[in-house]
Amino acid sequence: MSGSTLQGTGIGRGIAVGPVLRMPDPLPEPDETPSALTPDAEKERARASLAATAAIIRHRGERAGGSAKDVLEAQAFMAEDPTLIDDVGERIDTGKTAERAVFEAFAAFRELLLSMGGYMGERATDLDDVSQRVVAHLRGVAAPGVPDPEHPFVLVARDLAPADTALLDLSKVLALVTSDGGPTSHTAILAREKSIVAVVGVADALGLADGTEIVVDASTGVVTVSPSDEERDAAVARAAELKAARNAATGPGTLADGTLVPLLANLGSADGAADALEKGAEGVGLFRTEFLFLDSTSAPTVEEQKTQYVRLLHAFAGKKVVVRALDAGADKPLSFLNDAPEENPALGLRGLRALRANEPILRDQLAALAAADAQTDADLWVMAPMVSTVEETRYFTALAREAGLKTAGVMVEVPSSALLADRILADADFASIGTNDLTQYTLAADRLLGSVASFQDPWHPAVLKLVGEVGKAGQATGKPVGICGEAAADPLLAVVLVGLGATTLSMSPSALADVRAELSRFTREDARRFAELALSANSAVEARAAVTSAAATTE
Ligand code: PEP
Ligand code: MG
């Protein structure tokens, strides 16, 4: 592949150069050929590999520290579970190899956990990881998962699982390149959160050989294989320029003509507040309350919730904080809100629909927010997720006002709400556009499904047209229109969104610096011109390309 380029979707604007290191592929299932060794010899092999795997996992946990340590400690215990070890032994007694017995015993345990559902069910994936590691140890091959060499590298993978990402050593990972996943995949969200240069959805990425030098340019989504000296030097110079621009832009979000565009943080717990403030967040644009209660089996009490909200509002005293009511369903199931299996959960009883079906839970949440508001000095706004009708808007804003909350709005995540934004904003105090879901519903592409990830691109002119509808309605009614999906964290797209009428942008705190720097390069007039260019394109790729080249000739 020397000298060639590969195309994917860039996350952010960073650029990096380094050698490829491939994430090892999952191991194939051990075959069922009977063992040539005695059962005792196989049992000894199994015992030694289980113990060694537990020790390795524990060691990694100690090195990683923080929450990764707890996750890994729990995984080490799985490899030491006496019931599981007995099961492996019993399977070996029937003539199986240690590899096959380990594989089968873990698979049986997995089924058991899955049948228990809830928290235990979620641990099933961790078991797969441990099982693969033990089998790799038995075979004497590299364990699957994030490699851990001594030198810096560009990690090339199909996609990253949450457990992998917890272990990334950011001092060594220069960039990420994945073959799967779109701009809202887990890898992309992580890359934004940690400011890692990333290009996702590069179809041929897995053809890259270990050690090959590549340039990863997130601003264009291009991966250059075996670059020339000039290409390498240009990339290194650009990386230095970006770092300087990032450090230079401080203070509130402002366009080059002085127009203020407040930059806010997306948070899932008050724990991230200090970091967000340090990175210059001017408030919170999306507080995802469901993240506080993903493990709860019963609805949180008013007191329990109030404690969490007070912590958040205290941290942002004097600043705007937009709290979203519980958004359960699809990728974020909350067993106490919507437990019934659905054929198409993204189109089911999620967001406000689930809350409405459990109105006492919604009323409790609003009461907890009002109580926390009374005790603190932040400017609290509340909003409902996944609102699809004017009637739902009226329902939610009336309930919020009844609870004593003064600013009540809705998220625009469904095309119907964008198209009727003028009527929705007649009742709501503000709108906040969730571009992740708006893209999923506009393009009819499940945001979690790798096979349709290429559709999940918020640069798509159809998505931008809908954003523009909300922007126009905001201007006509004089009401704020925020953006809180991942699109706001893409610096150039952020400028386009402002051109379409967004008045604030909310994102993972680590994206703030890049977006702030990009906004400062362009005027409102430029932003409008870029928006027109993007709207008149035929595809997301064309829109991005047209605006990228206009931006390059603008300053
Ligand atoms: C969105 O859909 O863009 C959004 C911000 O909400 P979430 O990602 O939590 O669904
Ligand atoms: Mg959403």
Side-chain angles (χ1 to χ4, degrees):
M1 270 199 226
S2 165
S4 57
T5 58
L6 307 176
Q7 183 71 52
T9 303
I11 306 300
R13 314 231 322 133
I15 187 161
V17 188
V20 166
L21 193 57
R22 285 269 314 273
M23 182 117 144
D25 284 329
L27 299 171
E29 183 177 321
D31 64 33
E32 301 201 48
T33 319
S35 169
L37 302 177
T38 65
D40 279 350
E42 287 289 12
K43 278 185 204 166
E44 181 48 31
R45 289 180 65 228
R47 196 203 53 72
S49 285
L50 283 160
T53 305
I56 294 167
I57 294 178
R58 195 162 274 130
H59 178 63
R60 293 188 91 188
E62 270 149 23
R63 269 193 0 213
S67 60
K69 181 168 182 232
D70 299 338
V71 172
L72 292 169
E73 184 65 28
Q75 285 200 350
F77 278 129
M78 290 175 180
E80 289 168 335
D81 187 288
T83 324
L84 202 129
I85 296 174
D86 286 350
D87 188 12
V88 171
E90 281 162 24
R91 287 173 199 270
I92 289 176
D93 282 335
T94 68
K96 297 186 195 291
T97 59
E99 286 86 338
R100 183 72 203 174
V102 164
F103 171 82
E104 287 184 5
F106 273 86
F109 198 11
R110 178 185 207 280
E111 286 313 304
L112 180 72
L113 287 190
L114 278 179
S115 69
M116 291 161 90
Y119 178 79
M120 296 313 279
E122 280 159 32
R123 301 281 73 77
T125 345
D126 294 348
L127 263 187
D128 289 343
D129 189 46
V130 181
S131 164
Q132 289 250 320
R133 285 178 181 282
V134 180
V135 173
H137 192 273
L138 280 163
R139 289 193 176 150
V141 299
V146 178
D148 190 17
E150 294 300 314
H151 59 82
F153 61 98
V154 176
L155 182 63
V156 175
R158 195 174 295 283
D159 204 358
L160 295 179
D164 300 326
T165 56
L167 289 170
L168 281 185
D169 177 352
L170 297 182
S171 63
K172 297 220 192 89
V173 180
L174 299 165
L176 296 174
V177 175
T178 64
S179 61
D180 290 5
T184 55
S185 64
H186 192 84
T187 307
I189 293 173
L190 168 96
R192 274 191 208 100
E193 236 173 62
K194 313 247 180 206
S195 294
I196 307 175
V197 177
V199 177
V200 300
V202 179
D204 300 323
L206 299 182
L208 290 164
D210 277 352
T212 311
E213 184 173 62
I214 56 175
V215 173
V216 184
D217 185 348
S219 70
T220 54
V222 170
V223 174
T224 307
V225 186
S226 305
S228 63
D229 288 349
E230 295 80 65
E231 285 170 327
R232 182 187 311 105
D233 293 350
V236 171
R238 177 92 187 112
E241 246 172 56
L242 285 173
K243 193 164 170 211
R246 232 167 172 262
N247 295 339
T250 53
T254 318
L255 294 174
D257 56 14
T259 308
L260 292 175
V261 182
L263 298 179
L264 311 167
N266 287 354
L267 293 180
S269 122
D271 294 343
D275 172 62
L277 285 163
E278 194 191 313
K279 294 195 162 87
E282 296 170 60
V284 176
L286 169 63
F287 187 68
R288 290 180 161 108
T289 56
E290 63 281 358
F291 282 9
L292 297 171
F293 308 112
L294 284 179
D295 285 341
S296 307
T297 46
S298 55
T301 63
V302 173
E303 262 319 296
E304 225 178 299
Q305 294 190 64
K306 191 181 116 187
T307 313
Q308 300 272 6
Y309 305 147
V310 164
R311 270 184 71 210
L312 174 77
L313 297 175
H314 254 315
F316 287 91
K319 297 188 160 60
K320 172 169 136 180
V321 175
V322 185
V323 175
R324 173 170 79 184
L326 294 165
D327 181 19
D331 53 328
K332 294 173 291 196
L334 290 180
S335 56
F336 58 88
L337 259 181
N338 54 349
D339 223 5
E342 293 173 328
E343 192 86 6
N344 291 302
L347 302 181
L349 201 64
R350 61 165 296 197
L352 183 60
R353 299 170 186 179
L355 288 168
R356 205 167 179 182
N358 296 275
E359 194 177 291
I361 295 182
L362 174 57
R363 283 185 183 274
D364 275 359
Q365 184 169 30
L366 296 172
L369 282 163
D373 191 25
Q375 253 177 263
T376 48
D377 298 318
D379 178 16
L380 174 64
W381 296 20
V382 293
M383 64 182 180
M386 212 192 138
V387 169
S388 47
T389 66
V390 175
E391 191 273 333
E392 280 182 327
T393 308
R394 290 189 181 141
Y395 166 79
F396 178 77
T397 52
L399 223 57
R401 290 181 188 125
E402 194 186 312
L405 293 155
K406 62 182 186 315
T407 314
V410 299
M411 286 195 73
V412 174
E413 306 185 273
V414 182
S416 58
S417 292
L419 292 166
L420 296 191
D422 53 344
R423 277 151 264 181
I424 287 202
L425 278 173
D427 288 292
D429 295 320
F430 68 97
S432 180
I433 307 178
T435 48
N436 306 336
D437 276 314
L438 187 60
T439 309
Q440 138 163 293
Y441 294 126
T442 305
L443 277 302
D446 186 335
R447 64 193 264 195
L448 300 176
L449 206 59
S451 54
V452 293
S454 61
F455 291 92
Q456 184 69 30
D457 189 335
W459 276 94
H460 196 284
V463 177
L464 299 179
K465 208 163 171 185
L466 291 169
V467 171
E469 286 302 309
V470 190
K472 272 186 240 157
Q475 269 147 20
T477 53
K479 298 202 172 156
V481 171
I483 309 276
C484 63
E486 290 297 312
D490 172 337
L492 193 53
L493 183 51
V495 178
V496 171
L497 296 170
V498 170
L500 290 168
T503 53
T504 58
L505 301 169
S506 191
M507 63 205 74
S508 318
S510 62
L512 289 164
D514 283 346
V515 172
R516 187 185 293 115
E518 193 79 336
L519 289 179
S520 70
R521 295 171 60 201
F522 304 107
T523 62
R524 178 178 284 284
E525 227 7 81
D526 295 331
R528 290 204 178 115
R529 186 162 47 86
F530 296 169
E532 282 310 318
L533 276 174
L535 285 174
S536 55
N538 287 324
S539 66
V541 172
E542 271 184 27
R544 188 186 284 106
V547 178
T548 303
S549 72
T553 54
T554 293
E555 286 166 293

